[in-house]
Amino acid sequence: MTADTPPALRPADTLLRACSVAIVGASPQGAWPTTIFTNLRSAGYPGRVFLVNPRYGELWGQPCYPSLSALPEPAGLLLLLLPTRLTVSALEEGAARGARAAIIYSTGFGEGNDPEGLARGATIRALCERTGVRVCGPNCMGALSVREHLVTYPVALLPFVRPGSVGVVSQSGGSIGAWVRASWERGIGFSYVISSGNELDLDLADYLAFLVQDPETRLIVLFIEGIRRPAQFAAVAETALAQRKPILVVKIGRTERARQQALSHTGALAGSDEVFDAACRRLGLVRCPTLDDLLETTLAFSAGRIPRGSRAAVVVNSGGMKGLLLDHLEDVALELARFSPATEAALRPKLPSDLRVENPLECGVAGFGDERGFLEIVRTIAEDEGVDLLALHGELSRTSDGRRSAEPWAALAEATDKPLLAFSRITHSLTEEARGFQESARLPFLQGMTMTLRALQGLATYGERVQRGIAPLPPPRGQSADVQPEAIGRLLQAHDLPEPRGLLARTPAEAAEAARQIGFPVALKVVSPGVLHKTEVGGVVVGLRSEDEVRREGEALLERVGLRAPGATITGLLVQEMVVGTEMIVGAREDPAWGPILVVGLAGVFVELLRDVSFRLLPVDAEEAHAMLRELRAYRVLEGFRGQPRRDLSALVQAITGMSRLFVDYRLCLADLEVNPLMVLEEGKGVRAVDVRLIPRELASRGAGP
């Protein structure tokens, strides 16, 4: 889906750029109303602030009105700090009086299964639809519009917020408040900070669209618990990518396994978190595993530099630090650049003779005590056309001696347009002097090796997605007749997924004759539309070497399947040639939230035991297919491990892209299509789709599918 103006989005500007505010439920006994009023006054909010509470005639030196109807003029934004039972009527009153937006801080609007709460939530949704009033929350902590000086956050967060270009949306108000305070210490500035809560009306897609359209917001940070409208969210994320506005994400629920019933391994493997990862890859979202990583990655992106490639260089000044880096690189899929011969020649005289010129580069004594010389080494590497982004060891001062100059660091940043990060070994607190030094140096100073490497990886993957763009999902063109059992073999063959040579037989005796024609050894499989997992009912026998063995095993197979799947209709036996190779799984299915997805991984018993799989949203081209394979721990097996023959990677990539094309074309007919195993033969000999499982959409719609 691509769109300049995504469908069905609701404007958030009346909330975040309100020209007047009413604190409904203002009270000196309430910590939140008091803090919000203090925040608005301290921030210098230029609009009118009305106080509403029938118990008071005056509060904090200004009039307090008994109701919204009594206000001298309509308030644009209502801050509803009321008990749950009073909130709906106050919102109705405010909407009738001309309010255009509201924030509901309280709970009890359908977050659980309480019937009264669900009814209240439905009432508010209907009110928003009828009146056009936009609502933030419920169960939220408001927002900060930094340039507008509009602070509706109910805690003392204002001292920790400085103007900047980072826009934040979080479905957790408390978590993001703590993160903003930590970010302030590191010198990060904000345009908007939004706590969206349970999103009865305005949701993540709406806020994201607002930030994408805001010219002052150049980097977007999201803390996500769930996405209510994936299609709209994806459309806005595509617009952000086109405008080169990076989106950094922390999403909770990595261990969630709340999957629907699955009839295939593809369905069982594709949990919500794995599919969200695939969506992030497609849309160019940079996913961070922790709030600490989110902070460091925000710093890394804050300079606004996007790499043209993924080849990284890292420069340190100690052997111990290099050793730690090499250990951490085992856990981070970061591509290291190879220095050009010219770069190696230029570096050699600048380094001690006992140190190797390689990446990561250790400078030894050349990196201690001579900061300008160390930075000159980094400048030399930055000039290498084979290097796309760099990280160098650099710590901000922790004392106020004032002797260190930011000028050589700023000169280094000026000398290249490539992403350039300084980083320290461990995390530590910063002084005001250190924050000033970072600003003057004009490059971000990160903390922690692993978090720095992951930030580099995030920059690299984002840069690659910017370069590649997002391939549109073609419209489906396939007909249901093509995916019937008698036609599926031809369809697979046409999409580079050839089956082994095989013949259908009605009886064990016919199967024996078919085996003689094919040549031994053969495999024997039950043919039944009601049996999707043949091995689970004993419906597969392999390695049969004679006609007698085929006849005998065929009779036993039919008896076994009849006992284990008593309701299944058996239409015959399939006799196939035996093929030897590396077993892979290639499957596609329709995800109800994100659309068609593809899984590739090691097959056999290991698919569930090791879960060595990779996911993508469709369509998948050859470059993406190669990337999926390289992500697998078993990839070395395909390249030929310990004397084993190299497998036909070219044919495997063709099979993966063929599965992508097939499922995209037939996704209106199929809910799930899986080849498991797909046998990958020796290089030059192709692949064979040994076992094919398909689930028609009508079967899935009856509740039997994923």
Side-chain angles (χ1 to χ4, degrees):
M1 181 189 302
T2 56
D4 293 331
T5 305
L9 291 171
R10 297 167 289 243
D13 57 319
T14 54
L15 172 82
L16 297 168
R17 294 172 178 157
C19 295
S20 60
V21 172
I23 302 177
V24 186
S27 170
Q29 278 75 47
W32 282 22
T34 303
T35 302
I36 290 174
F37 181 80
T38 302
N39 283 341
L40 288 167
R41 178 174 286 176
S42 300
Y45 175 60
R48 294 196 68 179
V49 179
F50 299 104
L51 306 178
V52 179
N53 191 326
R55 297 173 57 191
Y56 303 97
E58 180 180 310
L59 275 177
W60 305 309
Q62 68 179 59
C64 185
Y65 299 90
S67 66
L68 288 166
S69 301
L71 296 182
E73 63 184 69
L77 173 62
L78 311 178
L79 309 184
L80 300 177
L81 293 142
L82 295 168
T84 300
R85 68 182 188 279
L86 302 177
T87 299
V88 174
S89 59
L91 185 59
E92 286 274 14
E93 182 186 14
R97 187 71 171 87
R100 302 185 63 197
I103 299 174
I104 300 176
Y105 295 86
S106 57
T107 62
F109 297 88
E111 297 89 342
N113 295 317
D114 172 51
E116 290 186 11
L118 292 169
R120 281 191 291 266
T123 299
I124 287 179
R125 285 194 181 94
L127 188 154
C128 293
E129 183 69 23
R130 183 178 76 250
T131 65
V133 170
R134 300 276 66 95
V135 167
C136 175
N139 191 20
C140 72
M141 296 184 73
L144 294 89
S145 301
V146 181
R147 291 194 312 276
E148 292 84 355
H149 308 286
L150 176 57
V151 183
T152 60
Y153 214 80
V155 295
L157 199 59
L158 186 60
F160 304 101
V161 176
R162 67 185 74 201
S165 60
V166 179
V168 181
V169 186
S170 173
Q171 291 170 334
S172 168
S175 296
I176 210 63
W179 186 83
V180 166
R181 284 191 288 269
S183 300
W184 166 84
E185 183 176 290
R186 303 292 300 283
I188 295 172
F190 298 94
S191 56
Y192 297 90
V193 178
I194 304 160
S195 164
S196 65
N198 292 338
E199 301 180 348
L200 268 181
D201 179 48
L202 291 171
D203 64 18
L204 193 63
D206 302 315
Y207 297 120
L208 182 61
F210 174 87
L211 294 176
V212 170
Q213 294 161 8
D214 177 48
E216 300 299 322
T217 300
R218 296 190 294 275
L219 176 62
I220 299 169
V221 168
L222 306 178
F223 184 98
I224 300 175
E225 297 176 10
I227 298 176
R228 287 163 174 78
R229 295 186 296 160
Q232 287 79 7
F233 177 88
V236 181
E238 287 194 30
T239 302
L241 185 73
Q243 295 184 13
R244 297 195 170 200
K245 283 194 177 184
I247 301 173
L248 315 182
V249 176
V250 164
K251 182 181 181 297
I252 64 173
R254 281 187 174 274
T255 59
E256 179 188 356
R257 288 296 177 265
R259 297 180 174 91
Q260 295 174 308
Q261 180 185 3
L263 292 180
S264 71
H265 290 99
T266 302
L269 291 166
S272 61
D273 197 65
E274 291 86 354
V275 177
F276 182 72
D277 266 340
C280 287
R281 290 180 182 275
R282 174 173 170 81
L283 299 170
L285 309 183
V286 179
R287 190 170 183 184
C288 303
T290 68
L291 289 174
D292 292 311
D293 276 279
L294 183 65
L295 195 157
E296 304 306 328
T297 306
T298 298
L299 272 172
F301 274 85
S302 62
R305 299 185 179 189
I306 300 172
R308 290 183 286 269
S310 59
R311 300 162 299 182
V314 185
V315 188
V316 299
N317 59 9
S318 96
M321 193 172 185
K322 179 177 178 179
L324 286 170
L325 269 171
L326 292 172
D327 286 342
H328 290 308
L329 280 165
E330 290 292 315
D331 301 320
V332 181
L334 182 66
E335 180 184 1
L336 291 177
R338 293 179 63 90
F339 297 148
S340 70
T343 298
E344 291 183 354
L347 290 173
R348 182 67 277 172
K350 299 177 181 179
L351 299 171
S353 60
D354 60 328
L355 296 181
R356 297 174 60 181
V357 180
E358 61 182 4
N359 187 17
L361 181 67
E362 175 197 350
C363 297
V365 294
F368 285 101
D370 181 11
E371 194 166 78
R372 290 179 182 271
F374 178 67
L375 297 182
E376 187 58 36
I377 291 172
V378 177
R379 184 198 293 255
T380 300
I381 295 171
E383 293 170 353
D384 191 323
E385 291 298 318
V387 173
D388 300 310
L389 64 166
L390 302 89
L392 68 151
H393 176 233
E395 297 190 15
L396 292 171
S397 300
R398 304 181 204 183
T399 59
S400 301
D401 55 25
R403 292 178 296 177
R404 192 179 180 200
S405 171
E407 183 275 327
W409 294 83
L412 173 64
E414 181 69 24
T416 182
D417 62 353
K418 298 175 182 179
L420 182 64
L421 314 177
F423 71 99
S424 62
R425 294 176 176 86
I426 58 175
T427 61
H428 56 86
S429 299
L430 298 187
T431 63
E432 190 60 43
E433 181 194 40
R435 285 188 287 274
F437 185 94
Q438 177 176 244
E439 186 174 347
S440 298
R442 298 175 55 196
L443 56 84
F445 283 72
L446 278 60
Q447 296 185 4
M449 292 188 193
T450 302
M451 291 184 286
T452 298
L453 293 175
R454 285 199 287 254
L456 281 172
Q457 182 187 17
L459 282 164
T461 56
Y462 181 77
E464 286 182 329
R465 181 52 62 188
V466 166
Q467 296 297 324
R468 294 192 64 197
I470 300 174
L473 184 65
R477 297 185 294 264
Q479 304 296 316
S480 59
D482 297 336
V483 295
Q484 300 306 310
E486 65 275 7
I488 191 65
R490 294 190 297 273
L491 189 63
L492 291 168
Q493 179 74 39
H495 288 82
D496 300 310
L497 289 157
E499 294 183 293
R501 185 186 175 204
L503 293 172
L504 286 171
R506 292 173 297 177
T507 66
E510 288 185 9
E513 173 59 24
R516 186 188 63 78
Q517 296 178 39
I518 292 173
F520 298 99
V522 297
L524 193 62
K525 303 176 182 179
V526 67
V527 179
S528 172
V531 177
L532 294 172
H533 295 288
K534 298 179 179 64
T535 56
E536 293 180 4
V537 296
V540 178
V541 184
V542 299
L544 304 180
R545 297 184 174 275
S546 69
E547 292 180 54
D548 287 342
E549 193 175 7
V550 171
R551 189 180 301 107
R552 184 172 63 253
E553 291 294 337
E555 292 170 352
L557 182 151
L558 292 175
E559 181 179 357
R560 190 164 54 245
V561 173
L563 291 172
R564 297 182 183 179
T569 300
I570 299 174
T571 58
L573 296 166
L574 175 63
V575 184
Q576 285 185 328
E577 66 173 324
M578 289 287 295
V579 292
V580 178
T582 298
E583 296 184 12
M584 301 291 292
I585 178 174
V586 180
R589 72 187 296 263
E590 186 78 14
D591 182 79
W594 298 101
I597 62 169
L598 184 77
V599 59
V600 173
L602 192 66
V605 298
F606 299 107
V607 67
E608 293 174 344
L609 180 64
L610 300 181
R611 297 183 61 83
D612 188 15
V613 291
S614 177
F615 290 91
R616 291 294 189 278
L617 267 61
L618 297 181
V620 168
D621 60 15
E623 184 176 349
E624 201 78 66
H626 274 292
M628 293 179 76
L629 292 174
R630 287 192 295 269
E631 289 170 11
L632 301 176
R633 296 189 299 274
Y635 181 66
R636 293 177 64 192
V637 174
L638 297 169
E639 289 188 311
F641 182 66
R642 291 194 174 180
Q644 294 297 311
R646 180 181 172 87
R647 298 296 152 181
D648 200 331
L649 283 167
S650 177
L652 177 56
V653 167
Q654 286 181 290
I656 294 169
T657 57
M659 174 66 80
S660 172
R661 297 193 310 275
L662 194 162
F663 196 83
V664 165
D665 270 350
Y666 290 88
R667 65 184 186 272
L668 296 185
C669 312
L670 296 172
D672 202 311
L673 176 62
E674 178 180 287
V675 179
N676 179 22
L678 176 72
M679 205 68 77
V680 187
L681 309 183
E682 294 182 24
E683 191 168 24
K685 296 184 179 180
V687 298
R688 298 290 186 274
V690 173
D691 197 359
V692 180
R693 303 164 186 174
L694 61 87
I695 302 173
R697 270 198 177 274
E698 58 267 24
L699 178 61
S701 66
R702 291 199 298 268

